[in-house]
Amino acid sequence: MSENRELAALLSRVERLEKENRRLKRGALAFLLLIASVGLMAQTRQTPPTSSQRQKGRAPAPAPGGPTAVEAQGFILKDSNGHVRAELGLTGSAPSLKFKDEDGSALVTLALNSDAPGGPLLLLSDPQHHASVALSVLEHAGPQLSLTGERADIQVHMAVAPDGTTLELSDKDGFTTSIGNGVVPKNGQAKQTTAASIVLYGKQRRVLWSVP
């Protein structure tokens, strides 16, 4: 009987030790999981890198390739119907840019004068090429502005030349008024006028009246 009691007590003690061992293992596993969770939370809560830090760590963008200039002797722009509406090219040795209507008439021309005197000029025209506006700055001639009506003899011309300024108005009957600097014949001689001068011309540019 005593042996059975001792055996039962021994088995009870072994079972109790096994239970305590299992509890210790569970506690150790829970502790390890807690440590791992704290580490992960600390990593996720770290301050994100600044833009300068990201740029330092980023590889430089590759330089763009391909040509940086297009070379040609002319460019033509066409609309959906195949009509040439703009043209960039050379007139002689001087460049010119033309904008055209559907009939191919150049209504706007921006160019450099290929002949002497050299300089830039701008020409605006109606589709019939009757009325026009011409603006130029030619060498040794200064800036000039001309307005022409549907008749070529109806004009307004303004010029700022090296020797003075001039404004001229012409009508369809051949009469012209000139204001400003110029040269007018008087008593068989050429007289230099001033910016305060007014000269009235008749047909064939005959002087009708002048002052001073």
Side-chain angles (χ1 to χ4, degrees), residues 107 123-133 147-151:
L107 305 185
L123 177 63
L124 310 179
S125 176
D126 65 0
Q128 290 74 34
H129 289 275
H130 293 162
S132 64
V133 177
L147 309 179
T148 304
E150 292 191 0
R151 290 181 47 150

Side-chain angles (χ1 to χ4, degrees), residues 39-201:
L40 290 175
M41 292 175 63
Q43 289 182 357
T44 56
R45 290 183 180 179
Q46 288 181 353
T47 304
T50 62
S51 58
S52 60
Q53 292 174 343
R54 288 195 298 267
Q55 291 177 356
K56 289 181 180 179
R58 186 181 303 169
T68 58
V70 178
E71 296 183 4
Q73 292 185 343
F75 293 93
I76 295 177
L77 180 65
K78 295 184 178 181
D79 59 17
S80 58
N81 296 321
H83 299 146
V84 177
R85 303 305 301 273
E87 184 176 354
L88 175 62
L90 294 173
T91 302
S93 59
S96 65
L97 174 62
K98 298 179 180 180
F99 295 96
K100 302 181 177 183
D101 60 11
E102 292 184 352
D103 296 328
S105 296
L107 305 185
V108 179
T109 300
L110 176 62
L112 293 180
N113 193 22
S114 58
D115 300 324
L121 57 89
L122 172 65
L123 177 63
L124 310 179
S125 176
D126 65 0
Q128 290 74 34
H129 289 275
H130 293 162
S132 64
V133 177
L135 175 64
S136 64
V137 185
L138 302 180
E139 186 179 10
H140 305 307
Q144 300 187 37
L145 173 64
S146 296
L147 309 179
T148 304
E150 292 191 0
R151 290 181 47 150
D153 51 2
I154 303 176
Q155 293 187 2
V156 175
H157 182 77
M158 182 186 301
V160 181
D163 56 352
T165 58
T166 304
L167 173 63
E168 286 195 357
L169 300 89
S170 303
D171 64 9
K172 62 182 181 62
D173 296 322
F175 294 95
T176 302
T177 298
S178 177
I179 303 173
N181 300 90
V183 178
V184 58
K186 189 172 184 179
N187 299 327
Q189 296 181 350
K191 176 186 176 182
Q192 189 77 29
T193 60
T194 67
S197 299
I198 300 176
V199 182
L200 304 183
Y201 295 94

Side-chain angles (χ1 to χ4, degrees), residues 6-18:
E6 291 177 359
L7 180 60
L10 181 60
L11 292 175
S12 177
R13 183 180 297 177
V14 170
E15 184 178 358
R16 186 169 60 253
L17 290 175
E18 288 180 353

